[in-house]
Amino acid sequence: MNTEILTPRHLRSLLIDTIESSPVTLIHGPRQCGKTTLCKEIGESLGYTYFTFDSDEVRISAQNDPNLFIRNCPERTILDEIQRVPQLSRKLKIAVDRNRKAGMFLLTGSSNILMMPDLADALVGRMETLRLHPFSQQEIEQSPSKPFLERLFGGDFPICSTEPLSTNLAQRIVLGGYPQIHNLSSDLKHSNWLKNYVENIISKDILDLSKIRSIEVLPKLLQSAANLTGQLLNISDIGSSLQMNRNTTQDYLTLLEYQFLIERLPAWHTNRLNRLIKTPKIHFGDTGIACALLGLNPNDLVKQRTLLGHLLETFVFQELKRQSSSSNQPYSFYHFRDKDKVEVDLVIEQGAYQIAGIEVKAGATIKHSDFNGLRKLKAACPDQFTYGAVLYDGEICASYGNGMYMVPIRMLWESNPKPLNY
């Protein structure tokens, strides 16, 4: 089954709305996450002509005469992999200013917009940017459920019982969300595809965009990052293990971020607490890639409880980021940790005034102390705090009192999970 084509993307409606209001729309995200498929599908219904700069002929034509290339573009044009021809930035601005209409250009990019400052600067006020991720679990299951973040900020967790995910949770973590993976039939094929994917990103995209001296270090750096996902980022320790200085390590990590392979989760802070850790956490962009780099299959992961906990935290973080990318609500993500090691895995801001917290547990039981970080977060911002939830692989969804909930992990993508039969 070709899952990429058959699975509806939740970003679709927001993308269409943006096209109808903005002259230029950029949809960026990692390679092979479904950008081209989504844009072509929308383009067919809205009358777009498609060009990709992965084609040597098209790319060389645009590089040799960017002004003529843009002038000859049809009224509605898709330009795929725009980061490969940075010369087009100013020409796009001129074309938009000459005859400004909504929906003139639909761009895709496999590098973060921060990697394309010329494009961002040239199209200020003319371009809207959307992020497409690999599949969320909600998309994979084609679940019609109410988005989890809406339920979290509304405290919408009625008491119910459900089946734990158990080994299926490890399978989901190891599989990840890249569309092509879901067309493959075995763990070995999944792992090989993901390893080849990373090799291609390093040997093609990163080398295209930067003059890196020690390309052989990047696979080792990625593997180190995979081991550290869900943990505080210590750049000096990573550099020392690879015999690199701090500045070089920082630069290389930034390159991996620009390709959406890793992500830094900043620390949440408030003036009411002065003993907070300000170090960011590091998260992999997709748990499937992290597991492939570490050589983990689902059975291996179940046996390594500490690593399972860290990868599960990344899995939950990425699921929420993927769901939030198609929402009209503005969400920002952080972590909370103080010098007494009291922590909250995810602090989520909705707009400027509302905060919710999530703690992630790999086990099937909940203890009173599992809510300690959420209680401290609530005490630090009582006027802004809405609700807190401990996500765990257990049976019962219920209130724990004072705006706190215990919530089975599967409810991230299931509003009405199947009841547990005792």
Side-chain angles (χ1 to χ4, degrees):
M1 180 179 71
N2 192 327
T3 312
E4 184 177 352
I5 292 175
L6 296 181
T7 301
R9 302 309 302 262
H10 291 172
L11 189 67
R12 187 181 191 281
S13 59
L14 182 59
L15 178 55
I16 291 174
D17 289 344
T18 305
I19 288 171
E20 291 175 349
S21 62
S22 176
V24 183
T25 298
L26 169 68
I27 177 168
H28 67 163
R31 278 193 180 272
Q32 301 291 328
C33 74
K35 300 185 302 297
T36 300
T37 299
L38 178 60
C39 288
K40 281 185 172 181
E41 182 234 327
I42 289 175
E44 285 181 10
S45 63
L46 298 179
Y48 278 86
T49 301
Y50 172 82
F51 300 99
T52 178
F53 295 125
D54 277 341
S55 162
D56 290 340
E57 294 82 2
V58 176
R59 185 177 66 257
I60 291 170
S61 172
Q63 289 170 337
N64 286 343
D65 196 339
N67 190 49
L68 180 63
F69 182 88
I70 290 298
R71 279 210 320 264
N72 286 340
C73 281
E75 187 172 309
R76 287 196 157 199
T77 299
I78 296 171
L79 299 177
D80 199 9
E81 302 298 349
I82 188 68
Q83 79 281 352
R84 304 201 70 189
V85 191
Q87 300 94 323
L88 293 183
S89 299
R90 298 293 168 184
K91 308 309 177 184
L92 284 166
K93 174 183 181 296
I94 292 169
V96 170
D97 289 346
R98 184 186 301 122
N99 185 24
R100 189 172 183 131
K101 295 180 182 177
M104 295 173 65
F105 293 97
L106 176 54
L107 316 177
T108 80
S110 293
S111 296
N112 193 300
I113 186 65
L114 295 175
M115 196 73 173
M116 300 177 278
D118 289 345
L119 181 70
D121 292 344
L123 295 175
V124 169
R126 303 165 181 86
M127 181 175 74
E128 294 292 333
T129 302
L130 301 178
R131 170 75 186 274
L132 186 69
H133 298 260
F135 285 148
S136 68
Q137 296 300 306
Q138 196 174 20
E139 288 173 322
I140 292 169
E141 296 297 328
Q142 299 189 40
S143 170
S145 63
K146 183 179 180 181
F148 183 86
L149 288 171
E150 288 185 28
R151 285 180 280 147
L152 176 64
F153 279 89
D156 183 15
F157 297 117
I159 188 169
C160 65
S161 61
T162 187
E163 290 278 0
L165 288 163
S166 191
T167 55
N168 181 254
L169 179 57
Q171 290 168 354
R172 289 173 184 267
I173 292 171
V174 170
L175 192 60
Y178 279 87
Q180 188 62 37
I181 285 294
H182 296 268
N183 302 320
L184 303 177
S185 58
S186 70
D187 289 342
L188 179 59
K189 289 180 179 178
H190 300 154
S191 180
N192 286 340
W193 188 93
L194 290 164
K195 289 177 183 176
N196 289 334
Y197 172 84
V198 170
E199 289 175 6
N200 286 334
I201 294 292
I202 291 172
S203 63
K204 183 179 181 182
D205 290 356
I206 291 181
L207 281 181
D208 276 355
L209 293 170
S210 61
K211 294 179 180 178
I212 186 169
R213 291 192 302 273
S214 303
I215 192 72
E216 71 280 356
V217 172
L218 287 179
K220 298 175 184 177
L221 180 59
L222 263 178
Q223 190 168 39
S224 294
N227 267 309
L228 294 172
T229 192
Q231 302 175 62
L232 294 178
L233 174 61
N234 189 317
I235 294 174
S236 297
D237 283 354
I238 294 174
S240 296
S241 68
L242 299 174
Q243 297 183 322
M244 296 193 302
N245 64 47
R246 180 184 173 85
N247 289 340
T248 301
T249 306
Q250 173 77 280
D251 290 343
Y252 283 16
L253 286 170
T254 299
L255 284 175
L256 298 177
E257 281 186 276
Y258 284 155
Q259 299 304 315
F260 304 102
L261 290 170
I262 63 171
E263 185 170 356
R264 293 180 223 215
L265 179 67
W268 183 84
H269 60 87
T270 175
N271 292 333
R272 297 188 183 189
L273 297 175
N274 57 12
R275 300 186 71 250
L276 295 179
I277 300 294
K278 297 181 180 179
T279 305
K281 280 188 172 183
I282 184 171
H283 282 287
F284 242 71
D286 184 82
T287 55
I289 292 179
C291 290
L293 291 173
L294 295 174
L296 292 170
N297 62 39
N299 291 331
D300 296 331
L301 185 56
V302 167
K303 294 172 186 176
Q304 300 189 44
R305 300 301 295 180
T306 299
L307 188 54
L308 172 62
H310 293 315
L311 282 162
L312 177 59
E313 186 178 328
T314 293
F315 176 82
V316 170
F317 169 57
Q318 293 298 351
E319 177 64 17
L320 293 176
K321 286 291 293 289
R322 292 169 191 191
Q323 290 187 22
S324 71
S325 66
S326 58
S327 172
N328 287 312
Q329 289 285 350
Y331 293 108
S332 301
F333 294 82
Y334 306 89
H335 78 92
F336 170 94
R337 184 182 176 98
D338 67 14
K339 293 182 180 178
D340 296 322
K341 297 185 179 180
V342 178
E343 62 180 340
V344 177
D345 293 328
L346 290 171
V347 179
I348 306 157
E349 292 183 349
Q350 180 179 270
Y353 300 106
Q354 290 190 307
I355 289 175
I358 292 177
E359 186 68 15
V360 181
K361 301 295 179 183
T365 59
I366 292 289
K367 305 188 298 291
H368 185 75
S369 60
D370 291 334
F371 289 87
N372 285 348
L374 292 167
R375 295 187 188 101
K376 191 159 192 176
L377 176 65
K378 180 177 181 179
C381 53
D383 297 332
Q384 295 172 276
F385 190 88
T386 55
Y387 298 97
V390 174
L391 294 178
Y392 75 122
D393 192 27
E395 301 175 355
I396 304 300
C397 176
S399 170
Y400 213 83
N402 297 315
M404 306 293 174
Y405 290 88
M406 50 193 292
V407 181
I409 288 169
R410 69 187 310 145
M411 291 186 70
L412 277 170
W413 57 89
E414 297 179 6
S415 287
N416 299 300
K418 295 178 182 178
L420 182 68
N421 295 317
Y422 290 98

